[in-house]
Amino acid sequence: MASQGAVPLRPAFQLKTPKGTRDWSGRELHLRECIFRTASEIFELHGAIPLDTPVFELRDILAGKYGEEARLIYNLEDQGGELCSLRYDLTVPFARWLAMHSDVKQVKRYQIAKVYRRDQPAISRGRLREFYQCDFDIAGSYDPMVPDAEVLRVVVDIFHALELDITIKINHRQILDGIFDIAGVPADKTRTISSAVDKLDKSPWDEVKKEMVDEKDLPKDVADRIGEYVQRSGSMSEMLASLKTVTEFCDNPLVKSGLDDMTLLMSYLEAMNIIDKVSFDLSLARGLDYYSGLIYEVIPQTNGSTIQVGSIAAGGRYDGLVGMYGKQPVPCVGVSLGIDRIFTILDARETKKKSQKMARDAEVFVMAFGGKDFDGLLPERMAIAGELWKAGIRAEYLPKKKPKPQAQFNAAGGVPVAVMLGQDELAAGQVRVKAIQAEKEEGATKDRGTLISRSDLVQEVRMLLKAAGL
Amino acid sequence: MASQGAVPLRPAFQLKTPKGTRDWSGRELHLRECIFRTASEIFELHGAIPLDTPVFELRDILAGKYGEEARLIYNLEDQGGELCSLRYDLTVPFARWLAMHSDVKQVKRYQIAKVYRRDQPAISRGRLREFYQCDFDIAGSYDPMVPDAEVLRVVVDIFHALELDITIKINHRQILDGIFDIAGVPADKTRTISSAVDKLDKSPWDEVKKEMVDEKDLPKDVADRIGEYVQRSGSMSEMLASLKTVTEFCDNPLVKSGLDDMTLLMSYLEAMNIIDKVSFDLSLARGLDYYSGLIYEVIPQTNGSTIQVGSIAAGGRYDGLVGMYGKQPVPCVGVSLGIDRIFTILDARETKKKSQKMARDAEVFVMAFGGKDFDGLLPERMAIAGELWKAGIRAEYLPKKKPKPQAQFNAAGGVPVAVMLGQDELAAGQVRVKAIQAEKEEGATKDRGTLISRSDLVQEVRMLLKAAGL
């Protein structure tokens, strides 16, 4: 390799990106951009405004919001001045923004930005320390479950637009807390038992029970009672019908309130024509502390695919978070899309299809040929490319003063249209154009294309591009 | 204010973004997005690939690249692991990427991302600690000045698309270094004298001379000789004609080489039809150490505007930077757009015009009315909004179970089309549609719109939107 012979100018150090981070370029970036655009358009269809917050926040803003996970926060060095940390998610910055704008009573906002977690990275499975989140939230006081239903509709619309089949698992924190209450879980163990229940999507009940009893000191009979309830799942109508027959559920005010919410939600999801996408799953618990009502996780239906990415979006209602900043509480409900996981699935599909090219390749290659006095016609090639750029056509030329014919054809490989210049023809106000995609290079150098008036250039090129299906 | 009565749940701290940073939302974000889209489209027209790098880099990567300005770099705390810093610009990450990809021999890349500098912020003048850069660079070995000319063409095209009149001031580091050489500046003072010269766009010659003589210990006669040369500026053809008559310039190999480059560049800029945008200004020096050839700065022609933002884009050739990573050197030329300054100018213009609305407002408001048994028809309003969303129409409804008529008309203020539902009409498969923008609210509640078949809804709404000029 050419670089082996170079003499390092300074002591060598490892040339890489920091642990758990990576560069993105070309086709991958275009695919990611396409996901962002799809999501943004649907957010705006629902009247959401975009929000952009700084990549770091005052450390006090993040403090006390993430429980144990706070150890994963990246801190900035104290270089004199304020203590700051990189954002850990987009929810806390939004809550901070809401607390700062107490005049905003109701708002839908979306934010697409990178977040930072000093976790153990697993790059092949798409788990990085720097990764994108894409959040949509509805803040403010509304009639019950109305914004919750709209968030789920937004989720369905986005994955429909991305052509990804999904199931939305839903549950309700009050139902779950009520069940723990009925089963006899002490109040101070509610959250830790809740996170054990949340593992039921990956582990069998026996293992989860073992964790509750052995690690978390829950009496065996309490765990058994939990197990009886939380392993139930099904359609909303089946589940609601069945749960409403359980007397102790209807007697528990938490469960009762949660079931009322779910009944109302069902009628709205039916009206919005997305009820078939939803599964009511009592084992869904979600890790974060701040959820207070409806919770949900989106699972992709990757039929037969080998990619197992877990949930690709998740969220819920968090009515207490904004109030933590000492201002008036603002009820919120929202969803966060797991962009990197969605990317992984779509990327595998695109690679499988192979046909779709995400890179914007050149459409026209501008060449020049001549006899023994040939000076390369570089300014003339530049001028022609300039006319094409002006018309919004992606044009290139070989950036050499005196290019050889074969070098130009090689560089034009895959470009559908060639514009060919000759000294005498240019003097007569003429250029040649030619479709080159399907031909072999050998033959191409012989066929000299169609002679046209230079003033017709853009029009002729557009016709050739159209004929080539572009 | 409602928030005054709330009891803080935790000790109060200042609710704000970190010093020198700010939130962005709504119309401002849409305007910024519009600048990004304009630039990206032109970069891609020229065959550039997008690149995205991590927000932080290994500290060693940034070390020794920024001279005195390195003190403005934000460091991450050492939390066990690698030492990292937030990126200071997009050029060094690109050079690192090139050094890591020695198989990439020639590439055009662009990157639009935030960079971080612990500078004294001046928010009103658009100077922040977190701000966007938008870079376009051409890397690799090419025939002289060919990529340089293309970068300038890209600059002209972008500002043309943004409808901003500009002048590009250009100069050449070799010419400047040669002039210092001729004038008798000691080699170790070249860069510090160069940065004094760079102040000539803001300060008169006397002050700059004072800095050279008093602060930088340059002999007075040396400073005078510099002053004689560097205050010259004009069109490329005038300047080249005049400079080529100076014997000592033609005898100095540095100046000679710079003038050859400039002569070649002139022929390419003429071919690309942008020569009238360029002014050859010998006082342009640029601060950064790594420039090695052509340098340029873009100055807006804000006729009569009160906004003075300085240069809105700048760049040049830096052939030595990639080699600093101990690999094969890769010659590069590029430009960085000052997004925040461009934003400030365009924002002032938009505000002046007032007419242009950047926010995506709702297009349709879905309402319901009824008699004394009226239940609000919320699921029905949701279903209708769902049909409109599906058709890509921005629809809203009042998120209340039983909304009053006037509350719905108030919420619909400014929305051009209303869809109105009644129980009996819905039962007969019909809804009412109505253009509401121009009317007064009073009258609007009385006119009940046109009764149409529900199956024609999307089509009828589209016609009304079209009639409203949307």
Side-chain angles (χ1 to χ4, degrees):
Chain A
M1 274 173 62
S3 62
Q4 297 299 313
V7 180
L9 297 181
R10 39 170 293 138
F13 54 86
Q14 223 184 334
L15 205 56
K16 67 180 205 64
T17 61
K19 185 175 178 181
T21 68
R22 51 162 294 190
D23 297 319
W24 295 80
S25 65
R27 197 194 72 90
E28 289 187 326
L29 257 189
H30 283 130
L31 175 56
R32 200 172 70 184
E33 203 58 47
C34 170
I35 301 172
F36 292 164
R37 210 174 315 119
T38 302
S40 308
E41 276 169 15
I42 288 167
F43 296 148
E44 302 213 344
L45 208 54
H46 287 259
I49 59 157
L51 178 69
D52 176 37
T53 62
V55 79
F56 47 82
E57 294 276 346
L58 294 181
R59 208 164 293 169
D60 282 336
I61 299 285
L62 304 192
K65 305 298 180 305
Y66 301 109
E68 279 182 19
E69 294 194 9
R71 72 195 148 76
L72 303 180
I73 292 174
Y74 278 95
N75 293 326
L76 291 188
E77 202 173 277
D78 180 4
Q79 291 170 278
E82 299 162 337
L83 292 181
C84 299
S85 302
L86 298 188
R87 64 182 163 221
Y88 183 83
D89 65 9
L90 303 177
T91 310
V92 163
F94 176 49
R96 189 262 307 147
W97 182 85
L98 281 172
M100 279 172 68
H101 293 80
S102 50
D103 54 316
V104 177
K105 299 296 180 205
Q106 293 187 333
V107 69
K108 297 174 191 175
R109 89 87 181 74
Y110 70 93
Q111 182 168 9
I112 302 175
K114 287 176 176 176
V115 301
Y116 299 88
R117 300 183 183 182
R118 294 179 62 252
D119 213 338
Q120 206 45 44
I123 296 191
S124 62
R125 279 184 292 137
R127 195 169 75 192
L128 289 157
R129 289 182 160 194
E130 173 186 61
F131 59 97
Y132 262 101
Q133 280 194 343
C134 173
D135 281 24
F136 171 78
D137 294 79
I138 303 181
S141 293
Y142 297 84
D143 280 353
M145 308 315 283
V146 177
D148 312 59
E150 188 169 349
V151 171
L152 294 181
R153 168 74 194 218
V154 164
V155 167
V156 170
D157 282 354
I158 288 173
F159 289 109
H160 177 76
L162 294 173
E163 297 176 38
L164 262 177
D165 282 336
I166 54 155
T167 297
I168 307 180
K169 288 205 267 184
I170 65 171
N171 197 5
H172 198 292
R173 269 283 167 92
Q174 288 184 315
I175 297 177
L176 214 47
D177 288 355
I179 286 175
F180 297 150
D181 194 18
I182 294 166
V185 177
D188 64 331
K189 286 203 170 136
T190 305
R191 284 280 74 81
T192 181
I193 294 304
S194 178
S195 59
V197 167
D198 202 45
K199 291 175 188 160
L200 272 174
D201 59 340
K202 293 191 189 88
S203 313
W205 167 246
D206 286 346
E207 275 178 39
V208 171
K209 182 181 164 185
K210 201 167 172 316
E211 178 181 333
M212 290 181 180
V213 177
D214 295 356
E215 294 174 34
K216 298 183 170 170
D217 279 334
L218 199 70
K220 212 161 158 290
D221 61 320
V222 175
D224 282 335
R225 276 196 294 277
I226 295 174
E228 235 172 81
Y229 299 130
V230 298
Q231 293 182 76
R232 301 188 192 192
S233 69
S235 74
M236 285 195 88
S237 58
E238 286 164 11
M239 285 288 284
L240 284 171
S242 128
L243 296 175
K244 280 174 182 172
T245 63
V246 183
T247 326
E248 55 211 313
F249 280 6
C250 300
D251 291 346
N252 182 289
L254 280 171
V255 177
K256 173 83 175 50
S257 161
L259 290 177
D260 286 350
D261 272 0
M262 292 304 238
T263 308
L264 198 55
L265 180 67
M266 186 171 77
S267 69
Y268 296 155
L269 298 185
E270 277 166 352
M272 286 189 175
N273 201 22
I274 58 169
I275 192 75
D276 59 315
K277 298 286 183 191
V278 171
S279 160
F280 189 170
D281 187 331
L282 280 175
S283 75
L284 177 72
R286 306 278 311 131
L288 289 168
D289 285 6
Y290 52 60
Y291 289 118
S292 56
L294 183 71
I295 48 178
Y296 32 82
E297 247 178 45
V298 178
I299 313 295
Q301 304 298 308
T302 47
N303 301 314
S305 161
T306 48
I307 298 179
Q308 292 300 332
V309 294
S311 73
I312 51 176
R317 174 159 286 283
Y318 52 102
D319 288 348
L321 187 62
V322 180
M324 287 174 80
Y325 294 107
K327 301 264 179 175
Q328 191 83 343
V330 180
C332 296
V333 61
V335 66
S336 182
L337 306 183
I339 291 296
D340 295 282
R341 289 175 171 186
I342 297 168
F343 174 86
T344 304
I345 297 174
L346 296 185
D347 188 43
R349 188 172 72 187
E350 297 298 328
T351 313
K352 223 168 166 182
K353 278 194 199 167
K354 267 175 187 155
S355 60
Q356 264 114 330
K357 261 206 145 177
M358 297 294 298
R360 275 82 153 178
D361 290 329
E363 296 168 309
V364 178
F365 206 91
V366 183
M367 314 175 178
F369 308 102
K372 67 175 178 351
D373 293 336
F374 180 56
D375 73 345
L377 295 173
L378 178 53
E380 289 77 6
R381 285 182 283 141
M382 286 175 168
I384 293 284
E387 288 170 28
L388 295 168
W389 291 331
K390 201 172 172 187
I393 296 165
R394 293 192 294 279
E396 283 186 3
Y397 49 86
L398 202 66
K400 277 190 176 309
K401 215 167 151 44
K402 284 195 196 177
K404 296 211 168 68
Q406 194 56 49
Q408 296 182 82
F409 276 104
N410 290 349
V415 180
V417 172
V419 174
M420 294 177 288
L421 311 184
Q423 186 70 60
D424 297 344
E425 291 160 359
L426 271 177
Q430 291 178 311
V431 297
R432 291 178 182 274
V433 293
K434 183 155 134 22
I436 52 171
Q437 190 155 43
E439 297 181 40
K440 291 223 174 124
E441 284 161 16
E442 285 303 302
T445 49
K446 279 165 200 156
D447 170 4
R448 299 196 55 223
T450 313
L451 198 62
I452 60 160
S453 163
R454 183 169 166 169
S455 55
D456 297 335
L457 175 68
V458 169
Q459 192 190 333
E460 294 282 341
V461 164
R462 285 222 171 97
M463 279 171 56
L464 286 175
L465 286 172
K466 208 174 164 190
L470 292 164
Chain B
M1 274 171 61
S3 62
Q4 297 300 311
V7 180
L9 298 180
R10 40 170 293 136
F13 53 85
Q14 223 186 334
L15 205 55
K16 67 179 205 66
T17 61
K19 184 174 179 181
T21 69
R22 52 162 293 191
D23 297 318
W24 295 79
S25 65
R27 198 194 70 89
E28 289 187 326
L29 257 189
H30 283 132
L31 175 56
R32 199 172 71 185
E33 203 58 46
C34 171
I35 301 172
F36 291 164
R37 209 172 318 118
T38 303
S40 308
E41 276 169 14
I42 289 167
F43 296 149
E44 301 212 345
L45 208 53
H46 286 259
I49 59 157
L51 177 69
D52 177 36
T53 62
V55 79
F56 48 82
E57 294 276 345
L58 294 181
R59 206 164 294 169
D60 282 337
I61 300 286
L62 304 192
K65 306 298 180 306
Y66 301 109
E68 278 180 22
E69 294 194 9
R71 74 197 146 77
L72 303 180
I73 292 174
Y74 278 97
N75 293 326
L76 291 188
E77 203 173 277
D78 181 4
Q79 292 170 279
E82 299 161 339
L83 292 182
C84 299
S85 302
L86 297 189
R87 63 183 163 219
Y88 184 84
D89 64 10
L90 303 177
T91 310
V92 164
F94 176 49
R96 189 263 306 147
W97 183 85
L98 281 173
M100 278 172 67
H101 294 80
S102 49
D103 55 317
V104 177
K105 298 295 179 206
Q106 292 186 334
V107 70
K108 298 175 189 173
R109 90 84 181 75
Y110 70 95
Q111 182 168 8
I112 302 175
K114 287 176 176 175
V115 300
Y116 299 87
R117 301 183 184 183
R118 293 180 63 252
D119 213 338
Q120 207 47 43
I123 296 192
S124 62
R125 279 184 292 137
R127 196 170 72 192
L128 289 156
R129 289 182 160 193
E130 174 186 59
F131 59 97
Y132 263 101
Q133 280 193 343
C134 173
D135 281 24
F136 170 78
D137 295 80
I138 303 180
S141 293
Y142 297 84
D143 279 353
M145 306 315 282
V146 177
D148 311 60
E150 187 168 351
V151 170
L152 295 180
R153 167 77 194 216
V154 163
V155 167
V156 170
D157 283 353
I158 288 173
F159 289 108
H160 177 76
L162 294 173
E163 296 176 37
L164 263 177
D165 282 337
I166 55 155
T167 297
I168 307 179
K169 287 205 265 183
I170 65 171
N171 197 3
H172 198 292
R173 270 281 168 93
Q174 288 184 317
I175 297 177
L176 214 47
D177 288 356
I179 287 175
F180 296 150
D181 192 19
I182 294 166
V185 177
D188 63 332
K189 286 203 171 136
T190 305
R191 284 280 74 79
T192 182
I193 294 304
S194 177
S195 59
V197 167
D198 202 44
K199 292 174 187 160
L200 272 174
D201 59 341
K202 294 190 190 84
S203 313
W205 167 246
D206 286 347
E207 276 179 38
V208 171
K209 182 181 164 185
K210 201 167 172 318
E211 178 181 332
M212 289 181 180
V213 177
D214 295 356
E215 295 173 33
K216 299 185 169 168
D217 281 334
L218 200 69
K220 214 161 157 291
D221 60 319
V222 175
D224 283 334
R225 275 197 294 277
I226 294 174
E228 234 172 84
Y229 299 130
V230 298
Q231 294 181 75
R232 301 188 192 193
S233 68
S235 73
M236 285 194 88
S237 57
E238 287 164 12
M239 286 287 284
L240 284 171
S242 129
L243 296 175
K244 280 174 183 172
T245 62
V246 184
T247 326
E248 54 210 315
F249 281 5
C250 300
D251 290 346
N252 181 289
L254 280 170
V255 178
K256 172 84 173 52
S257 160
L259 290 177
D260 286 350
D261 272 359
M262 291 305 237
T263 307
L264 199 54
L265 179 68
M266 185 171 78
S267 68
Y268 296 155
L269 298 186
E270 277 165 352
M272 286 188 175
N273 201 21
I274 57 170
I275 192 74
D276 59 316
K277 298 287 181 190
V278 172
S279 161
F280 190 170
D281 188 330
L282 280 176
S283 75
L284 177 73
R286 307 278 309 130
L288 289 168
D289 286 4
Y290 52 61
Y291 290 117
S292 56
L294 182 71
I295 48 179
Y296 33 84
E297 248 178 42
V298 178
I299 312 297
Q301 303 299 308
T302 48
N303 302 313
S305 161
T306 50
I307 298 179
Q308 292 299 333
V309 293
S311 73
I312 52 176
R317 174 159 287 282
Y318 51 102
D319 289 347
L321 187 60
V322 180
M324 287 174 80
Y325 295 107
K327 301 265 178 173
Q328 191 84 342
V330 180
C332 296
V333 62
V335 67
S336 182
L337 306 183
I339 291 297
D340 295 282
R341 289 176 170 186
I342 296 168
F343 174 87
T344 304
I345 298 173
L346 296 186
D347 188 43
R349 188 173 71 187
E350 297 298 328
T351 313
K352 222 168 166 183
K353 278 193 199 167
K354 267 176 189 154
S355 60
Q356 265 116 329
K357 262 206 144 176
M358 296 295 298
R360 273 81 155 179
D361 291 329
E363 296 168 308
V364 178
F365 205 90
V366 184
M367 314 176 178
F369 308 103
K372 67 174 179 345
D373 293 337
F374 180 56
D375 74 344
L377 295 173
L378 178 53
E380 290 77 7
R381 285 182 281 140
M382 287 174 166
I384 294 284
E387 287 170 28
L388 296 168
W389 291 332
K390 201 173 171 184
I393 296 165
R394 292 191 294 279
E396 282 187 2
Y397 49 86
L398 202 67
K400 277 189 175 310
K401 213 169 153 43
K402 283 195 197 176
K404 296 211 169 68
Q406 196 55 51
Q408 296 181 83
F409 277 103
N410 291 348
V415 180
V417 172
V419 175
M420 294 178 287
L421 310 185
Q423 185 70 61
D424 297 344
E425 291 160 1
L426 271 177
Q430 292 178 312
V431 297
R432 291 178 183 273
V433 294
K434 183 157 133 21
I436 52 171
Q437 190 153 43
E439 297 181 42
K440 290 219 174 128
E441 283 161 16
E442 285 303 303
T445 49
K446 279 165 202 157
D447 171 4
R448 300 195 54 223
T450 313
L451 198 63
I452 59 159
S453 165
R454 183 169 167 169
S455 55
D456 296 335
L457 176 68
V458 169
Q459 194 190 331
E460 292 283 339
V461 164
R462 285 222 171 99
M463 278 169 58
L464 286 175
L465 287 172
K466 207 174 166 189
L470 293 165

